[in-house]
């Protein structure tokens, strides 16, 4: 005999209380149970419509991101929210037609679907570029412009930045920058780890109390922990104010690996004028020649720690900067703390940067890449055993 899906009692086949949903006929013991079911399904339909307006997510996404890597908790949220999913052999399985409504993906406790879950808390998101004539840097040169503003206005004593070694081309060297020229020298990205904390501590020990610190999420996290942990070293210097300026980062590579890769392409590091990672490609500009390579060619040189990092946008920073989403020669800026928000807008008001609010389409590009990095831990075994 059929089972009433609401009260779980057995009902007769010819009950006058029934409804059809998802190609299946449901029978009820009373009009009250039928009404409850109908109200529930109307809510599900509204939910599916609202998700469909933003993003089409199929069961295939859930299988790829959660089920196949083996991190499904078997909570049953996906099956409970979709008639086309059932738990078979201790695993969610598609047993009906998938309409890519996204409901199952958004109920799963292991997926990351909210903006805050993907990029952390932010106050405002901007698209910006430098307003300083002839200043060149990575993307919109916004970090360099903001450091220039903060130094020239006396808001900071110094900035912890990374420059290229004079002895070994493109090898990162952290420095304490106190002048505009020193800040400009650090413009552009270097895709190897820079041990910036040593320079930060050196600046603090020298008595500098207002410091801008520029780094990727791993270095920003180190500063954050040194500030917030009960045993953090920066507790010893309570008057040290640090503006954390985080850089978007998907991957870093060993310096020797980059050197080996460039040489394998019949190029010399000392001839490389600029190095950029954009849309899954590595761009190497040498004199008048631009060479582009697929980023997968550098997988063997990828820093081991990057496999375990899920933070694209440096979520513990005051301000985050990256070239994702915005047009070429512009920078995406995420203002997080009150301090970061105020200094960013002061720099814009004083003519150091040109700024506008980030568009929804641009933000979606950031969120999509952040999602890729968030779930890379889940797909790690597939990466290592393709």
């Amino acid at each position: 005999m059929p089972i009433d899906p609401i009260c779980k009692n057995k009902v007769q086949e010819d009950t006058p209380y029934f409804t059809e949903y998802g190609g299946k006929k449901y029978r009820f013991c009373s009009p009250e149970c039928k009404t409850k079911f109908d109200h529930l399904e109307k809510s599900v339909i509204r939910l599916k419509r609202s998700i469909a307006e933003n993003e089409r997510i199929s069961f295939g996404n859930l299988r790829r991101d959660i089920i196949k890597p083996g991190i499904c908790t078997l909570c049953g949220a996906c099956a409970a929210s979709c008639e086309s999913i059932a738990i078979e052999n201790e695993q969610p399985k598609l047993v009906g037609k998938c309409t890519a409504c996204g409901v199952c993906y958004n109920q799963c406790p292991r997926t990351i679907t909210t903006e805050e879950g993907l990029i952390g808390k932010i106050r405002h998101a901007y698209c910006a570029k430098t307003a300083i004539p002839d200043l060149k840097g990575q993307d919109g040169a916004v970090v360099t412009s903001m450091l220039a503003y903060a130094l020239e206005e006396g808001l900071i004593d110094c900035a912890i930045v990374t420059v290229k070694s004079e002895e070994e081309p493109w090898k990162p060297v952290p420095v304490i920058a106190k002048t505009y020229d020193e800040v400009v020298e650090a413009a552009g990205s270097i895709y190897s780890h820079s041990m910036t904390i040593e320079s930060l501590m050196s600046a603090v020990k020298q008595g500098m109390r207002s410091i801008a610190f520029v780094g990727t999420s791993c270095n920003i996290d180190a500063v954050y922990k040194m500030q917030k942990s009960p045993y953090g070293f920066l507790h010893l210097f309570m008057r040290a104010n640090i503006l954390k300026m985080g850089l978007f980062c998907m991957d870093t590579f060993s310096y020797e690996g980059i050197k080996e890769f460039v040489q394998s392409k019949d190029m010399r590091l000392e001839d490389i004028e600029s190095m950029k990672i954009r849309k899954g490609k590595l761009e190497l500009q040498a004199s008048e020649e631009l060479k582009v390579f697929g980023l997968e060619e550098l997988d063997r040189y990828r820093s081991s720690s990057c496999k375990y990092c899920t933070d694209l946008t440096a979520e513990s920073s005051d301000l985050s900067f990256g070239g994702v989403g915005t047009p070429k020669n512009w920078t995406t800026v995420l203002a997080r703390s009150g301090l970061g928000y105020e200094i960013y807008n002061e720099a814009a008001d004083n003519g150091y940067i040109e700024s506008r609010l980030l568009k929804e389409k641009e933000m979606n590009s950031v969120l999509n890449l952040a999602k890729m990095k968030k779930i890379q831990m889940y797909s790690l075994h597939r990466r290592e055993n393709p």
Side-chain angles (χ1 to χ4, degrees), residues 57-60 62-63 67 76-88 91-98 101-105 107:
I57 308 176
S58 70
F59 179 78
L62 192 69
R63 182 191 295 117
I67 302 170
C78 56
S81 58
C82 179
E83 293 294 325
S84 297
I85 301 174
I87 304 297
E88 295 184 3
Q91 200 173 77
K93 182 179 180 181
L94 189 66
V95 294
K97 182 180 179 181
C98 177
C101 66
V103 168
C104 64
Y105 198 90
Q107 312 317 305

Side-chain angles (χ1 to χ4, degrees), residues 50-87:
S50 66
I51 295 174
E53 290 172 0
N54 296 309
E55 185 178 7
R56 305 286 289 177
I57 308 176
S58 70
F59 179 78
N61 294 75
L62 192 69
R63 182 191 295 117
R64 180 196 65 204
D65 297 343
I66 306 300
I67 302 170
K68 190 174 180 181
I71 63 159
C72 172
T73 66
L74 280 178
C75 68
C78 56
S81 58
C82 179
E83 293 294 325
S84 297
I85 301 174
I87 304 297

Side-chain angles (χ1 to χ4, degrees), residues 3-55:
I3 302 295
D4 186 318
I6 299 298
C7 66
K8 307 303 180 183
N9 291 324
K10 293 181 179 180
V11 296
Q12 296 295 325
E13 287 278 355
D14 59 351
T15 175
Y17 311 114
F18 64 87
T19 189
E20 292 188 359
Y21 171 73
K24 186 177 179 180
K25 190 172 184 178
Y26 295 87
R27 296 171 174 83
F28 307 94
C29 65
S30 67
E32 289 77 19
C33 283
K34 181 181 182 304
T35 299
K36 290 178 182 179
F37 183 86
D38 289 342
H39 285 168
L40 175 63
E41 296 314 316
K42 287 178 182 178
S43 297
V44 171
I45 291 171
R46 284 196 298 270
L47 176 61
K48 289 182 177 181
R49 285 174 180 168
S50 66
I51 295 174
E53 290 172 0
N54 296 309
E55 185 178 7

Side-chain angles (χ1 to χ4, degrees), residues 270-313:
E270 52 263 42
D271 296 330
I272 305 297
E273 297 176 359
S274 70
M275 191 181 298
K276 293 183 180 180
I277 293 179
R278 191 194 310 275
K279 296 181 178 179
K281 304 289 184 181
L282 173 66
E283 300 178 0
L284 300 178
Q285 181 72 55
S287 186
E288 299 298 321
E289 184 179 21
L290 175 65
K291 289 191 176 182
V292 181
F293 306 95
L295 205 53
E296 67 278 0
E297 292 190 55
L298 278 83
D299 270 354
R300 59 184 293 192
Y301 309 116
R302 190 182 188 218
S303 299
S304 60
S305 62
C306 293
K307 297 177 181 179
Y308 305 97
C309 176
T310 59
D311 185 357
L312 172 76
T313 61

